[in-house]
Amino acid sequence: MTPFTYVRAEDVPAAIRLAGASASKYLGGGTNLVDLMREGIEHPAALVDVTGLSHAITASADGGLMIGAAATNTDLAAHRAVRAHYPLLTRAILAGASGQIRNMATVGGNLLQRTRCTYFYDETARCNKREPGAGCDAIDGFNRIHAILGASPSCVATHPSDMAVALVALDAVVHLDGPGGARALPLAELHRLPDGTPQIETHLRPGELITAIELPALPFAATSTYRKVRDRASYAFALVSVAAAIEVEDGQVRDVRLALGGVAHKPWRAWQAEEMLRGGPASSAAFRAAAEAELAPATGLRDNAFKIELARRTIVAVLEELTGVSA
């Protein structure tokens, strides 16, 4: 491991000032960054500990929630307002990692965790994300867990977070601060698709720090859920996951939110499926048509083509569960 310095920030301005060096990294719970340092993938010269920043989860002016970036995953999942008004978020968090990791991991850090692609972690493999221009061994290698949407010839890795998928479905907004000042960004716009530069994973500016995540009021999110399909019941990343909230009145879909995990380089908001569903019938046929439209651009690799139909079926099953519709 490369030698590094460590300093604990007392507040946001101090954190931004201390992280002024380009080779520094913000440290939350460390559940991903420390692993990457041990594996020789990340080489920060300095770590700025931001776990002392806001842990608060409070009501916002519009009736939603403001979540401090240093809040732990456990605290967010257990929060009474989250369990009552955004149950898909609690379910998504509890579907991820282990209890011990959730106790350490922070909300801000969870959003910025890097892919768990085997080739990214293997220094003997070619990986454009780890070494730009090297190539991507996953494309012709064992790619069962890899992307079917939004991938490129440079990278087929997937984003590993369950929580981020739920937050994207809930229209979450990320509050940022940095050398250029404070700003807010829809979470759906935080992460990038790989294109030709998979090593650039987000739209964060140099030195920017996530300070909070805002959940807008969304009354029908009380009718929501998160389903994660994986190879084993615990401590496994999603093959496909679906976060959904839906409002139905007189058999018609008034509004809906839908996001997918395990299928792309970023949490995948299913905009096209949502548009097709709104104003239409709450029926299995409509759910299937919307799922097929969303997944029409999907492309399978040698080992993961099964994900396309798996995603279709999971979307339909989740929407049927939420609406009480039977096939």
Side-chain angles (χ1 to χ4, degrees):
M1 185 183 291
T2 303
F4 59 90
T5 61
Y6 166 90
V7 62
R8 184 177 175 87
E10 297 301 324
D11 55 29
V12 170
I16 294 167
R17 184 179 67 254
L18 291 166
S22 60
S24 64
K25 289 280 185 178
Y26 293 117
L27 176 69
T31 58
N32 185 218
L33 177 57
V34 172
D35 282 347
L36 293 170
M37 292 170 65
R38 287 172 176 160
E39 295 291 336
I41 297 169
E42 293 277 8
H43 308 90
L47 293 180
V48 179
D49 188 335
V50 293
T51 54
L53 306 186
S54 176
H55 295 72
I57 303 171
T58 58
S60 58
D62 73 344
L65 288 178
M66 188 68 76
I67 304 158
T72 67
N73 289 10
T74 294
D75 286 346
L76 183 60
H79 195 276
R80 182 173 297 180
V82 175
R83 292 164 62 93
H85 303 299
Y86 308 97
L88 79 166
L89 180 53
T90 290
R91 293 187 179 189
I93 294 170
L94 295 180
S98 65
Q100 294 93 329
I101 288 178
R102 293 194 297 269
N103 288 342
M104 286 294 298
T106 63
V107 173
N110 183 288
L111 297 180
L112 298 180
Q113 63 182 297
R114 306 193 70 187
T115 183
R116 302 308 170 106
C117 171
T118 304
Y119 299 96
F120 174 66
Y121 276 84
D122 182 357
E123 64 180 10
T124 67
R126 296 181 307 150
C127 175
N128 288 315
K129 186 180 288 292
R130 191 182 66 247
E131 184 182 347
C136 176
D137 277 347
I139 291 175
D140 295 318
F142 183 64
N143 42 45
R144 187 167 183 272
I145 68 168
H146 289 74
I148 57 173
L149 289 166
S152 78
S154 295
C155 184
V156 292
T158 55
H159 195 274
S161 174
D162 293 289
M163 184 188 74
V165 179
L167 289 172
V168 163
L170 292 168
D171 297 325
V173 174
V174 180
H175 290 260
L176 306 164
D177 207 344
R183 67 183 180 119
L185 185 68
L187 180 54
E189 299 175 14
L190 175 66
H191 300 97
R192 295 165 47 103
L193 291 177
D195 298 320
T197 53
Q199 76 278 9
I200 304 173
E201 297 172 338
T202 72
H203 289 284
L204 289 177
R205 297 167 183 165
E208 277 194 321
L209 171 67
I210 296 176
T211 58
I213 295 87
E214 184 176 3
L215 282 180
L218 193 67
F220 73 90
T223 305
S224 67
T225 196
Y226 181 81
R227 183 176 297 189
K228 181 177 182 178
V229 183
R230 47 189 164 175
D231 284 324
R232 58 182 187 272
S234 65
Y235 210 69
F237 297 103
L239 295 170
V240 168
S241 65
V242 175
I246 192 166
E247 180 180 21
V248 175
E249 186 175 305
D250 297 328
Q252 300 292 113
V253 178
R254 289 194 60 187
D255 209 349
V256 63
R257 298 289 187 275
L258 193 64
L260 309 178
V263 298
H265 199 256
K266 59 184 286 184
W268 188 268
R269 181 68 179 266
W271 300 108
Q272 185 169 356
E274 290 181 5
E275 184 177 353
M276 287 187 64
L277 288 167
R278 287 190 188 97
S283 67
S284 295
F287 299 157
R288 179 76 182 188
E292 288 177 348
E294 187 64 43
L295 291 158
T299 302
L301 299 167
R302 184 192 64 200
D303 302 316
N304 75 349
F306 73 94
K307 281 191 176 189
I308 300 173
E309 182 60 23
L310 179 61
R312 289 191 190 109
R313 295 188 183 198
T314 306
I315 291 169
V316 173
V318 166
L319 293 175
E320 287 177 340
E321 174 192 340
L322 289 173
T323 59
V325 170
S326 56

Short mmCIF file of all heavy atoms in Angstrom, two decimals, residues 221-272:
data_model
loop_
_atom_site.label_atom_id
_atom_site.label_comp_id
_atom_site.label_asym_id
_atom_site.label_seq_id
_atom_site.Cartn_x
_atom_site.Cartn_y
_atom_site.Cartn_z
N ALA A 221 -44.93 7.05 -2.92
CA ALA A 221 -43.79 6.17 -2.66
C ALA A 221 -44.03 5.26 -1.47
O ALA A 221 -43.28 4.30 -1.26
CB ALA A 221 -42.53 7.00 -2.44
N ALA A 222 -45.08 5.52 -0.69
CA ALA A 222 -45.45 4.58 0.38
C ALA A 222 -45.85 3.23 -0.22
O ALA A 222 -45.78 2.20 0.46
CB ALA A 222 -46.59 5.16 1.21
N THR A 223 -46.29 3.24 -1.49
CA THR A 223 -46.58 2.00 -2.20
C THR A 223 -45.39 1.70 -3.10
O THR A 223 -45.37 2.04 -4.29
CB THR A 223 -47.87 2.13 -3.05
OG1 THR A 223 -48.94 2.54 -2.21
CG2 THR A 223 -48.23 0.80 -3.70
N SER A 224 -44.37 1.12 -2.52
CA SER A 224 -43.13 0.90 -3.25
C SER A 224 -42.41 -0.31 -2.72
O SER A 224 -42.68 -0.77 -1.59
CB SER A 224 -42.22 2.14 -3.12
OG SER A 224 -41.78 2.32 -1.78
N THR A 225 -41.48 -0.81 -3.50
CA THR A 225 -40.69 -1.96 -3.06
C THR A 225 -39.39 -2.03 -3.85
O THR A 225 -39.20 -1.31 -4.84
CB THR A 225 -41.48 -3.27 -3.19
OG1 THR A 225 -40.84 -4.29 -2.42
CG2 THR A 225 -41.59 -3.71 -4.65
N TYR A 226 -38.51 -2.90 -3.40
CA TYR A 226 -37.24 -3.15 -4.07
C TYR A 226 -37.05 -4.65 -4.11
O TYR A 226 -37.14 -5.33 -3.08
CB TYR A 226 -36.09 -2.50 -3.30
CG TYR A 226 -34.73 -2.67 -3.94
CD1 TYR A 226 -34.33 -1.86 -4.99
CD2 TYR A 226 -33.84 -3.64 -3.49
CE1 TYR A 226 -33.07 -2.00 -5.58
CE2 TYR A 226 -32.59 -3.79 -4.06
CZ TYR A 226 -32.21 -2.97 -5.11
OH TYR A 226 -30.97 -3.11 -5.69
N ARG A 227 -36.79 -5.17 -5.29
CA ARG A 227 -36.55 -6.61 -5.43
C ARG A 227 -35.18 -6.80 -6.05
O ARG A 227 -34.86 -6.23 -7.09
CB ARG A 227 -37.62 -7.28 -6.28
CG ARG A 227 -37.43 -8.80 -6.37
CD ARG A 227 -38.53 -9.48 -7.14
NE ARG A 227 -39.83 -9.33 -6.49
CZ ARG A 227 -40.92 -10.00 -6.88
NH1 ARG A 227 -40.87 -10.84 -7.90
NH2 ARG A 227 -42.07 -9.81 -6.25
N LYS A 228 -34.39 -7.66 -5.42
CA LYS A 228 -33.02 -7.93 -5.87
C LYS A 228 -32.90 -9.41 -6.21
O LYS A 228 -33.12 -10.27 -5.36
CB LYS A 228 -32.03 -7.57 -4.76
CG LYS A 228 -30.56 -7.78 -5.10
CD LYS A 228 -29.68 -7.31 -3.94
CE LYS A 228 -28.21 -7.45 -4.25
NZ LYS A 228 -27.36 -6.96 -3.14
N VAL A 229 -32.56 -9.69 -7.46
CA VAL A 229 -32.36 -11.07 -7.91
C VAL A 229 -30.86 -11.32 -7.93
O VAL A 229 -30.10 -10.59 -8.60
CB VAL A 229 -32.96 -11.30 -9.31
CG1 VAL A 229 -32.80 -12.76 -9.71
CG2 VAL A 229 -34.43 -10.90 -9.32
N ARG A 230 -30.42 -12.34 -7.21
CA ARG A 230 -28.98 -12.59 -7.07
C ARG A 230 -28.73 -14.09 -6.94
O ARG A 230 -29.67 -14.88 -6.80
CB ARG A 230 -28.44 -11.85 -5.85
CG ARG A 230 -29.29 -12.01 -4.60
CD ARG A 230 -28.85 -11.09 -3.49
NE ARG A 230 -29.85 -10.97 -2.44
CZ ARG A 230 -29.66 -10.31 -1.31
NH1 ARG A 230 -28.50 -9.74 -1.07
NH2 ARG A 230 -30.62 -10.22 -0.41
N ASP A 231 -27.48 -14.45 -6.97
CA ASP A 231 -27.12 -15.87 -6.96
C ASP A 231 -27.30 -16.53 -5.60
O ASP A 231 -27.49 -17.74 -5.53
CB ASP A 231 -25.68 -16.06 -7.42
CG ASP A 231 -25.53 -15.90 -8.92
OD1 ASP A 231 -26.45 -16.31 -9.65
OD2 ASP A 231 -24.50 -15.38 -9.37
N ARG A 232 -27.22 -15.76 -4.53
CA ARG A 232 -27.45 -16.32 -3.20
C ARG A 232 -28.17 -15.28 -2.37
O ARG A 232 -28.24 -14.10 -2.73
CB ARG A 232 -26.14 -16.74 -2.54
CG ARG A 232 -25.11 -15.64 -2.39
CD ARG A 232 -23.82 -16.18 -1.78
NE ARG A 232 -22.88 -15.12 -1.49
CZ ARG A 232 -21.99 -14.65 -2.35
NH1 ARG A 232 -21.92 -15.16 -3.57
NH2 ARG A 232 -21.16 -13.68 -2.01
N ALA A 233 -28.70 -15.69 -1.25
CA ALA A 233 -29.64 -14.84 -0.51
C ALA A 233 -28.99 -13.69 0.23
O ALA A 233 -29.69 -12.76 0.63
CB ALA A 233 -30.44 -15.69 0.47
N SER A 234 -27.69 -13.71 0.44
CA SER A 234 -27.06 -12.63 1.17
C SER A 234 -25.66 -12.37 0.64
O SER A 234 -25.01 -13.24 0.06
CB SER A 234 -26.99 -12.95 2.67
OG SER A 234 -26.13 -14.05 2.90
N TYR A 235 -25.23 -11.14 0.85
CA TYR A 235 -23.88 -10.71 0.50
C TYR A 235 -23.51 -11.06 -0.94
O TYR A 235 -22.46 -11.62 -1.23
CB TYR A 235 -22.86 -11.31 1.48
CG TYR A 235 -21.64 -10.42 1.64
CD1 TYR A 235 -21.75 -9.20 2.29
CD2 TYR A 235 -20.40 -10.78 1.13
CE1 TYR A 235 -20.66 -8.37 2.43
CE2 TYR A 235 -19.30 -9.96 1.26
CZ TYR A 235 -19.43 -8.74 1.90
OH TYR A 235 -18.35 -7.91 2.03
N ALA A 236 -24.40 -10.73 -1.86
CA ALA A 236 -24.15 -10.93 -3.28
C ALA A 236 -24.68 -9.72 -4.04
O ALA A 236 -25.69 -9.13 -3.65
CB ALA A 236 -24.82 -12.21 -3.78
N PHE A 237 -23.99 -9.37 -5.11
CA PHE A 237 -24.42 -8.24 -5.91
C PHE A 237 -25.57 -8.66 -6.83
O PHE A 237 -25.72 -9.83 -7.16
CB PHE A 237 -23.25 -7.66 -6.70
CG PHE A 237 -22.17 -7.12 -5.82
CD1 PHE A 237 -21.00 -7.83 -5.61
CD2 PHE A 237 -22.35 -5.93 -5.14
CE1 PHE A 237 -20.01 -7.35 -4.77
CE2 PHE A 237 -21.38 -5.43 -4.29
CZ PHE A 237 -20.20 -6.14 -4.10
N ALA A 238 -26.35 -7.68 -7.25
CA ALA A 238 -27.54 -7.97 -8.05
C ALA A 238 -27.17 -8.44 -9.44
O ALA A 238 -26.30 -7.88 -10.10
CB ALA A 238 -28.41 -6.72 -8.14
N LEU A 239 -27.86 -9.49 -9.89
CA LEU A 239 -27.90 -9.78 -11.32
C LEU A 239 -28.83 -8.77 -11.98
O LEU A 239 -28.50 -8.16 -12.97
CB LEU A 239 -28.39 -11.21 -11.56
CG LEU A 239 -27.48 -12.32 -11.03
CD1 LEU A 239 -28.17 -13.66 -11.11
CD2 LEU A 239 -26.17 -12.34 -11.81
N VAL A 240 -30.00 -8.61 -11.36
CA VAL A 240 -30.97 -7.59 -11.75
C VAL A 240 -31.68 -7.14 -10.48
O VAL A 240 -32.01 -7.96 -9.63
CB VAL A 240 -32.02 -8.14 -12.74
CG1 VAL A 240 -33.18 -7.16 -12.92
CG2 VAL A 240 -31.38 -8.43 -14.09
N SER A 241 -31.91 -5.84 -10.34
CA SER A 241 -32.76 -5.37 -9.26
C SER A 241 -33.74 -4.34 -9.81
O SER A 241 -33.46 -3.70 -10.83
CB SER A 241 -31.94 -4.77 -8.11
OG SER A 241 -31.25 -3.61 -8.53
N VAL A 242 -34.87 -4.22 -9.13
CA VAL A 242 -35.91 -3.28 -9.56
C VAL A 242 -36.39 -2.50 -8.35
O VAL A 242 -36.79 -3.09 -7.34
CB VAL A 242 -37.10 -4.02 -10.21
CG1 VAL A 242 -38.23 -3.04 -10.53
CG2 VAL A 242 -36.66 -4.74 -11.48
N ALA A 243 -36.34 -1.17 -8.46
CA ALA A 243 -36.94 -0.28 -7.46
C ALA A 243 -38.16 0.36 -8.10
O ALA A 243 -38.06 0.92 -9.21
CB ALA A 243 -35.95 0.81 -7.04
N ALA A 244 -39.30 0.26 -7.44
CA ALA A 244 -40.54 0.75 -8.07
C ALA A 244 -41.48 1.35 -7.04
O ALA A 244 -41.58 0.87 -5.91
CB ALA A 244 -41.25 -0.39 -8.80
N ALA A 245 -42.16 2.42 -7.46
CA ALA A 245 -43.27 3.02 -6.71
C ALA A 245 -44.35 3.32 -7.73
O ALA A 245 -44.05 3.78 -8.84
CB ALA A 245 -42.83 4.29 -6.00
N ILE A 246 -45.61 3.08 -7.36
CA ILE A 246 -46.68 3.27 -8.34
C ILE A 246 -47.96 3.74 -7.66
O ILE A 246 -48.24 3.37 -6.52
CB ILE A 246 -46.93 1.96 -9.13
CG1 ILE A 246 -47.82 2.20 -10.36
CG2 ILE A 246 -47.48 0.86 -8.23
CD1 ILE A 246 -47.82 1.04 -11.34
N GLU A 247 -48.69 4.58 -8.38
CA GLU A 247 -49.99 5.07 -7.91
C GLU A 247 -51.04 4.69 -8.95
O GLU A 247 -50.90 5.04 -10.14
CB GLU A 247 -49.94 6.59 -7.75
CG GLU A 247 -51.25 7.19 -7.26
CD GLU A 247 -51.16 8.70 -7.11
OE1 GLU A 247 -50.28 9.32 -7.73
OE2 GLU A 247 -52.00 9.27 -6.37
N VAL A 248 -52.05 3.98 -8.50
CA VAL A 248 -53.11 3.51 -9.39
C VAL A 248 -54.45 4.03 -8.89
O VAL A 248 -54.73 3.98 -7.68
CB VAL A 248 -53.13 1.97 -9.47
CG1 VAL A 248 -54.31 1.48 -10.31
CG2 VAL A 248 -51.82 1.45 -10.05
N GLU A 249 -55.27 4.53 -9.79
CA GLU A 249 -56.62 4.98 -9.46
C GLU A 249 -57.59 4.51 -10.53
O GLU A 249 -57.37 4.76 -11.73
CB GLU A 249 -56.64 6.51 -9.36
CG GLU A 249 -57.98 7.07 -8.88
CD GLU A 249 -57.93 8.57 -8.67
OE1 GLU A 249 -57.04 9.03 -7.92
OE2 GLU A 249 -58.76 9.26 -9.27
N ASP A 250 -58.64 3.81 -10.10
CA ASP A 250 -59.65 3.29 -11.02
C ASP A 250 -59.03 2.46 -12.14
O ASP A 250 -59.42 2.55 -13.32
CB ASP A 250 -60.48 4.43 -11.63
CG ASP A 250 -61.26 5.20 -10.58
OD1 ASP A 250 -61.67 4.59 -9.58
OD2 ASP A 250 -61.43 6.42 -10.75
N GLY A 251 -58.04 1.67 -11.78
CA GLY A 251 -57.43 0.77 -12.74
C GLY A 251 -56.43 1.41 -13.69
O GLY A 251 -55.88 0.74 -14.57
N GLN A 252 -56.17 2.72 -13.52
CA GLN A 252 -55.23 3.43 -14.38
C GLN A 252 -54.00 3.86 -13.57
O GLN A 252 -54.10 4.19 -12.38
CB GLN A 252 -55.88 4.69 -14.97
CG GLN A 252 -57.11 4.42 -15.82
CD GLN A 252 -56.77 3.70 -17.11
OE1 GLN A 252 -57.16 2.53 -17.29
NE2 GLN A 252 -56.05 4.36 -18.00
N VAL A 253 -52.87 3.86 -14.21
CA VAL A 253 -51.62 4.28 -13.57
C VAL A 253 -51.55 5.81 -13.61
O VAL A 253 -51.43 6.41 -14.68
CB VAL A 253 -50.40 3.69 -14.29
CG1 VAL A 253 -49.11 4.20 -13.63
CG2 VAL A 253 -50.45 2.16 -14.26
N ARG A 254 -51.66 6.41 -12.44
CA ARG A 254 -51.56 7.88 -12.37
C ARG A 254 -50.11 8.32 -12.40
O ARG A 254 -49.77 9.31 -13.03
CB ARG A 254 -52.24 8.40 -11.10
CG ARG A 254 -53.76 8.31 -11.12
CD ARG A 254 -54.35 9.13 -10.00
NE ARG A 254 -53.99 10.54 -10.11
CZ ARG A 254 -54.27 11.46 -9.19
NH1 ARG A 254 -54.91 11.13 -8.08
NH2 ARG A 254 -53.92 12.72 -9.36
N ASP A 255 -49.26 7.61 -11.67
CA ASP A 255 -47.84 7.98 -11.66
C ASP A 255 -47.02 6.75 -11.29
O ASP A 255 -47.54 5.80 -10.67
CB ASP A 255 -47.58 9.12 -10.68
CG ASP A 255 -46.38 9.97 -11.11
OD1 ASP A 255 -45.65 9.55 -12.03
OD2 ASP A 255 -46.18 11.05 -10.53
N VAL A 256 -45.74 6.78 -11.63
CA VAL A 256 -44.89 5.62 -11.40
C VAL A 256 -43.43 6.08 -11.38
O VAL A 256 -43.07 7.06 -12.03
CB VAL A 256 -45.12 4.55 -12.50
CG1 VAL A 256 -44.73 5.09 -13.88
CG2 VAL A 256 -44.36 3.26 -12.19
N ARG A 257 -42.62 5.38 -10.60
CA ARG A 257 -41.17 5.56 -10.61
C ARG A 257 -40.55 4.18 -10.72
O ARG A 257 -40.98 3.24 -10.04
CB ARG A 257 -40.68 6.23 -9.32
CG ARG A 257 -41.22 7.63 -9.09
CD ARG A 257 -40.64 8.65 -10.06
NE ARG A 257 -41.05 10.00 -9.70
CZ ARG A 257 -42.20 10.56 -10.07
NH1 ARG A 257 -43.07 9.85 -10.81
NH2 ARG A 257 -42.51 11.79 -9.70
N LEU A 258 -39.52 4.07 -11.57
CA LEU A 258 -38.94 2.76 -11.84
C LEU A 258 -37.45 2.91 -12.14
O LEU A 258 -37.06 3.75 -12.96
CB LEU A 258 -39.66 2.14 -13.05
CG LEU A 258 -39.45 0.66 -13.36
CD1 LEU A 258 -40.00 -0.20 -12.23
CD2 LEU A 258 -40.16 0.31 -14.67
N ALA A 259 -36.63 2.12 -11.46
CA ALA A 259 -35.18 2.12 -11.72
C ALA A 259 -34.66 0.70 -11.62
O ALA A 259 -35.22 -0.13 -10.89
CB ALA A 259 -34.45 3.04 -10.74
N LEU A 260 -33.58 0.45 -12.34
CA LEU A 260 -33.00 -0.89 -12.40
C LEU A 260 -31.55 -0.87 -11.91
O LEU A 260 -30.82 0.10 -12.13
CB LEU A 260 -33.01 -1.43 -13.84
CG LEU A 260 -34.33 -1.37 -14.60
CD1 LEU A 260 -34.14 -1.91 -16.02
CD2 LEU A 260 -35.41 -2.15 -13.88
N GLY A 261 -31.15 -1.95 -11.27
CA GLY A 261 -29.77 -2.12 -10.85
C GLY A 261 -29.20 -3.40 -11.43
O GLY A 261 -29.93 -4.28 -11.89
N GLY A 262 -27.87 -3.51 -11.44
CA GLY A 262 -27.21 -4.70 -11.95
C GLY A 262 -27.18 -4.80 -13.46
O GLY A 262 -26.73 -5.82 -13.99
N VAL A 263 -27.62 -3.75 -14.15
CA VAL A 263 -27.75 -3.85 -15.61
C VAL A 263 -26.91 -2.83 -16.35
O VAL A 263 -26.79 -2.90 -17.57
CB VAL A 263 -29.23 -3.70 -16.05
CG1 VAL A 263 -30.08 -4.82 -15.47
CG2 VAL A 263 -29.80 -2.33 -15.66
N ALA A 264 -26.33 -1.87 -15.66
CA ALA A 264 -25.63 -0.78 -16.34
C ALA A 264 -24.51 -0.22 -15.48
O ALA A 264 -24.39 -0.54 -14.29
CB ALA A 264 -26.61 0.33 -16.72
N HIS A 265 -23.72 0.64 -16.08
CA HIS A 265 -22.59 1.29 -15.44
C HIS A 265 -23.04 2.28 -14.37
O HIS A 265 -22.24 2.75 -13.56
CB HIS A 265 -21.80 2.03 -16.53
CG HIS A 265 -20.40 2.38 -16.18
ND1 HIS A 265 -20.02 3.66 -15.84
CD2 HIS A 265 -19.27 1.64 -16.14
CE1 HIS A 265 -18.72 3.69 -15.61
NE2 HIS A 265 -18.24 2.49 -15.78
N LYS A 266 -24.33 2.61 -14.35
CA LYS A 266 -24.92 3.53 -13.40
C LYS A 266 -26.29 2.99 -13.02
O LYS A 266 -26.84 2.14 -13.72
CB LYS A 266 -25.06 4.92 -14.03
CG LYS A 266 -25.92 4.95 -15.28
CD LYS A 266 -25.97 6.32 -15.93
CE LYS A 266 -26.82 7.30 -15.15
NZ LYS A 266 -26.96 8.61 -15.81
N PRO A 267 -26.87 3.45 -11.89
CA PRO A 267 -28.26 3.10 -11.60
C PRO A 267 -29.13 3.56 -12.77
O PRO A 267 -29.04 4.71 -13.21
CB PRO A 267 -28.56 3.90 -10.33
CG PRO A 267 -27.22 4.15 -9.70
CD PRO A 267 -26.27 4.33 -10.85
N TRP A 268 -29.94 2.67 -13.30
CA TRP A 268 -30.64 2.90 -14.57
C TRP A 268 -32.08 3.33 -14.32
O TRP A 268 -32.92 2.53 -13.93
CB TRP A 268 -30.62 1.64 -15.42
CG TRP A 268 -31.14 1.85 -16.82
CD1 TRP A 268 -32.42 1.69 -17.24
CD2 TRP A 268 -30.38 2.24 -17.96
NE1 TRP A 268 -32.51 1.96 -18.59
CE2 TRP A 268 -31.27 2.31 -19.05
CE3 TRP A 268 -29.03 2.55 -18.16
CZ2 TRP A 268 -30.84 2.66 -20.33
CZ3 TRP A 268 -28.61 2.90 -19.44
CH2 TRP A 268 -29.51 2.95 -20.50
N ARG A 269 -32.38 4.60 -14.54
CA ARG A 269 -33.76 5.08 -14.42
C ARG A 269 -34.52 4.68 -15.68
O ARG A 269 -34.11 4.98 -16.81
CB ARG A 269 -33.78 6.60 -14.25
CG ARG A 269 -35.17 7.21 -14.09
CD ARG A 269 -35.85 6.83 -12.77
NE ARG A 269 -37.15 7.46 -12.68
CZ ARG A 269 -37.38 8.63 -12.08
NH1 ARG A 269 -36.38 9.27 -11.47
NH2 ARG A 269 -38.59 9.15 -12.04
N ALA A 270 -35.64 4.01 -15.50
CA ALA A 270 -36.42 3.47 -16.62
C ALA A 270 -37.40 4.52 -17.13
O ALA A 270 -38.63 4.37 -17.01
CB ALA A 270 -37.13 2.19 -16.21
N TRP A 271 -36.89 5.58 -17.73
CA TRP A 271 -37.72 6.70 -18.16
C TRP A 271 -38.76 6.28 -19.19
O TRP A 271 -39.91 6.71 -19.13
CB TRP A 271 -36.84 7.81 -18.75
CG TRP A 271 -35.81 8.38 -17.83
CD1 TRP A 271 -34.47 8.19 -17.87
CD2 TRP A 271 -36.05 9.27 -16.72
NE1 TRP A 271 -33.85 8.90 -16.86
CE2 TRP A 271 -34.79 9.58 -16.14
CE3 TRP A 271 -37.19 9.85 -16.17
CZ2 TRP A 271 -34.64 10.42 -15.05
CZ3 TRP A 271 -37.05 10.70 -15.08
CH2 TRP A 271 -35.79 10.98 -14.54
N GLN A 272 -38.35 5.46 -20.16
CA GLN A 272 -39.27 5.08 -21.23
C GLN A 272 -40.41 4.23 -20.69
O GLN A 272 -41.58 4.42 -21.07
CB GLN A 272 -38.52 4.34 -22.34
CG GLN A 272 -39.41 4.03 -23.55
CD GLN A 272 -38.62 3.55 -24.74
OE1 GLN A 272 -37.41 3.49 -24.73
NE2 GLN A 272 -39.33 3.19 -25.80
#
